[in-house]
Amino acid sequence: MSLITLTSPCSSRSYPSAGAARRWQGRLLTGAGLALLPWLGYLAATLPAREAVAWVALDAAEAVCLLTAGTRLVRADPRHRAPAAAAALLLVADACADVALAAPGQELTGALAMALAAELPLAALCGTLAARTAARLSG
């Protein structure tokens, strides 16, 4: 008796594995966290002292959460969910505060661009990582 192997036309396609996607997402979060580090220095040097404390603290918390979630995700550590969820919350709060406090004109345009191009997409990724992984583990 012989075995017949059926292949679909799609079987020759190469799809990234879940591990490769996880590593890519982890590197993205880690890179975003690292990118915030020089930004913290810029904020501290250019903002009035009272404002600098608030913004540096918020962005430092974002950086810590992104770096923690990213490095844990790269290592396939399931403990990436809590810092990813915290990063999502902080990024949404940062985007809202930036837009709400921006002066009309160029400052508002910059805040909207940063929110739409960086903060909210990163927040969506972090929220998805936290929720999807938790759903997989519970279901």
Side-chain angles (χ1 to χ4, degrees):
M1 175 180 272
S2 66
L3 293 175
I4 299 174
T5 305
L6 299 176
T7 60
S8 73
C10 296
S11 65
S12 63
R13 290 186 185 162
S14 175
Y15 293 101
S17 68
R22 183 193 72 243
R23 284 188 300 276
W24 179 85
Q25 292 164 339
R27 288 181 186 130
L28 178 67
L29 296 183
T30 302
L34 289 172
L36 281 172
L37 299 179
W39 179 246
L40 297 173
Y42 172 79
L43 291 176
T46 60
L47 291 176
R50 285 186 177 189
E51 289 180 41
V53 170
W55 288 113
V56 168
L58 176 61
D59 286 352
E62 288 173 18
V64 168
C65 291
L66 288 168
L67 289 166
T68 303
T71 55
R72 287 180 179 176
L73 194 58
V74 167
R75 292 189 318 248
D77 185 338
R79 295 176 303 152
H80 70 273
R81 294 187 335 259
L89 177 66
L90 290 168
L91 287 161
V92 169
D94 193 356
C96 290
D98 286 343
V99 171
L101 297 173
Q106 191 174 15
E107 190 176 324
L108 180 58
T109 302
L112 285 169
M114 189 65 143
L116 295 173
E119 293 163 335
L120 296 178
L122 269 175
L125 173 60
C126 288
T128 300
L129 288 168
R132 184 180 62 208
T133 308
R136 280 187 192 160
L137 291 176
S138 65

